[in-house]
Amino acid sequence: MNYYTVLNIESGKPRVEGAKQLLTGQLAMARRSGVKVIKLIHGYGSSGKGGALRTELRKMLQGMHGLATIKGEDFGIFDAATRELLGKYPDLRRDSDLNRSNLGITIIVLP
């Protein structure tokens, strides 16, 4: 699956600004290397209502032209965007988070 990569931002426990810079750099590198799908692991947050990384990174991604996102909680076979993605990249059916409603991830689809 050369078109697919996992980016675990949560593991380094960065603050929001550091996480945004890391994500920006990784998106640029992914585009240059031909990656089309990124599974972003940002975590859910310890507050029980969604952490700052999750909220702010998703906001940042929504404002970026030319890419699409699927929230981890929607990443399942009953979601139209997921079905379309699986049609293009059938190997994603083996992703461990498919159909798991994982609030701690976001799937990023690059043009």
Side-chain angles (χ1 to χ4, degrees), residues 45-95:
S46 59
S47 69
K49 56 187 175 196
L53 283 183
R54 174 180 172 256
T55 303
E56 293 302 316
L57 292 178
R58 283 183 173 179
K59 267 194 240 177
M60 179 184 135
L61 290 166
Q62 283 179 340
M64 297 181 115
H65 180 70
L67 59 81
T69 60
I70 301 172
K71 296 176 183 175
E73 55 268 34
D74 297 331
F75 185 51
I77 60 170
F78 296 109
D79 175 69
T82 301
R83 284 194 309 274
E84 183 178 332
L85 185 64
L86 294 174
K88 287 182 186 175
Y89 306 107
D91 290 346
L92 286 176
R93 291 183 182 278
R94 294 188 303 232
D95 187 283

Side-chain angles (χ1 to χ4, degrees), residues 5-76:
T5 192
V6 176
L7 173 57
N8 189 345
I9 287 186
E10 178 190 39
S11 69
K13 305 271 189 236
R15 296 203 178 275
V16 170
E17 286 310 311
K20 285 181 175 182
Q21 289 176 358
L22 179 61
L23 178 56
T24 300
Q26 291 295 317
L27 286 171
M29 189 172 5
R31 284 184 176 112
R32 285 192 302 272
S33 63
V35 169
K36 296 295 184 188
V37 180
I38 300 170
K39 178 164 70 171
L40 173 64
I41 301 172
H42 44 63
Y44 178 65
S46 59
S47 69
K49 56 187 175 196
L53 283 183
R54 174 180 172 256
T55 303
E56 293 302 316
L57 292 178
R58 283 183 173 179
K59 267 194 240 177
M60 179 184 135
L61 290 166
Q62 283 179 340
M64 297 181 115
H65 180 70
L67 59 81
T69 60
I70 301 172
K71 296 176 183 175
E73 55 268 34
D74 297 331
F75 185 51

